[in-house]
Amino acid sequence: MSDGSDGAGGVGNGGRSSGADTAASASDALGAAADALGSAVDVAVDSLSAAIGTALGTATDALGLDNALDGLANALGIDAKDLQGIVGAAVVGMLTGGLPGAVMGVVNGLVGGSLTEAARGAIAANLPAGMQPLANLALDQFAGRIPGANVSVQDALAGLASGALTNGRAPDVGDIGAIARSLTDVQSAARGLFDGVTRGDFSSAAEAASTIDRALGGQLGQARDIAGGIADTLSSGRAAYADGGHGDFGNAVEQLAMDVTRLVASRR
């Protein structure tokens, strides 16, 4: 890994911009969570994590994700903006699952955003105009349940490249490039999937929205299973491999999970 002197996008220890300072603040928050999880107060932290997890779930259901993240930030004593975007997805995952949880958070956010973007494009291209508003509402609700899913690809990659997940050190440009390539494959496969889904002969807008929602849930479920396997391998200290056999979309997700794992594990 780079020592931060010549990282991705020119981000390094020398001459950091205010944006890099913000990333360092986010990194400090993430590092504090990681240190706490590995300290002598594991029992207390586990209790806090459980309480936060319960509160997060309740607030998400009742008030929406933004309010839930605000409450989580208040519980941690950090700025709420540090829990937005892909870094926030990693923090939420880390609080309940350590480094493997951070991997899951990042992958879920990237995949959720890719599925949402692909479905939205397919809706615009293939569904009758009268069916599109309800279908897009279903998309908004889907993305709103997944931390990081509403972040643009550029912002997500910038968050990763800033060093916010690697103790403030700008990661190796090759690691960021690998994530960008595997994410491109995920997006391409997702577009193919939803092009097929939205070309159905729907009798109503409700049927179209329901079909799209089921497809979103099914693909995200597959992605979570695949990423979960990679994360479990990380937590056990074993070497992970992209074995394939999941179809185009699943294989792309598996490679993305491998690349995210490599980046997150480099913070050690």
Side-chain angles (χ1 to χ4, degrees), residues 225-251:
D225 288 344
I226 292 169
I230 299 295
D232 287 344
T233 300
L234 170 65
S235 65
S236 69
R238 293 177 287 124
Y241 301 96
D243 296 326
H246 308 289
D248 289 345
F249 178 74
N251 289 345

Side-chain angles (χ1 to χ4, degrees), residues 72-104:
L72 176 57
N74 289 335
L76 293 174
I78 62 176
D79 195 321
K81 72 177 184 298
D82 289 339
L83 284 183
Q84 301 301 318
I86 207 66
V87 175
V91 172
V92 172
M94 179 171 280
L95 282 170
T96 55
L99 288 175
V103 170
M104 287 293 293

Side-chain angles (χ1 to χ4, degrees), residues 116 120 123 132-145 208-210 212-213 216:
T116 302
R120 201 176 302 279
I123 287 170
Q132 292 182 19
L134 188 59
N136 282 317
L137 178 61
L139 287 186
D140 293 338
Q141 292 175 339
F142 170 81
R145 296 192 295 266
S210 177
I212 292 167
D213 187 65
L216 288 166

Side-chain angles (χ1 to χ4, degrees), residues 6-202:
D6 56 354
V11 179
N13 286 336
R16 282 184 172 177
S17 65
S18 60
D21 291 336
T22 300
S25 174
S27 174
D28 289 343
L30 189 61
D35 290 343
L37 286 171
S39 73
V41 293
D42 280 344
V43 174
V45 172
D46 287 344
S47 298
L48 175 62
S49 295
I52 289 173
T54 299
L56 183 63
T58 301
T60 300
D61 291 341
L63 303 174
L65 183 62
D66 288 342
N67 289 327
L69 290 178
D70 287 345
L72 176 57
N74 289 335
L76 293 174
I78 62 176
D79 195 321
K81 72 177 184 298
D82 289 339
L83 284 183
Q84 301 301 318
I86 207 66
V87 175
V91 172
V92 172
M94 179 171 280
L95 282 170
T96 55
L99 288 175
V103 170
M104 287 293 293
V106 172
V107 173
N108 285 345
L110 294 175
V111 171
S114 297
L115 289 170
T116 302
E117 180 182 338
R120 201 176 302 279
I123 287 170
N126 298 327
L127 286 187
M131 294 186 178
Q132 292 182 19
L134 188 59
N136 282 317
L137 178 61
L139 287 186
D140 293 338
Q141 292 175 339
F142 170 81
R145 296 192 295 266
I146 306 169
N150 283 314
V151 179
S152 71
V153 171
Q154 292 81 4
D155 286 346
L157 292 176
L160 298 177
S162 71
L165 300 186
T166 48
N167 286 336
R169 299 186 308 271
D172 189 280
V173 67
D175 288 343
I176 295 298
I179 291 175
R181 287 190 296 273
S182 55
L183 182 57
T184 296
D185 291 340
V186 168
Q187 293 173 315
S188 177
R191 284 193 293 269
L193 284 168
F194 281 97
D195 186 60
V197 168
T198 55
R199 287 183 182 277
D201 185 15
F202 303 111

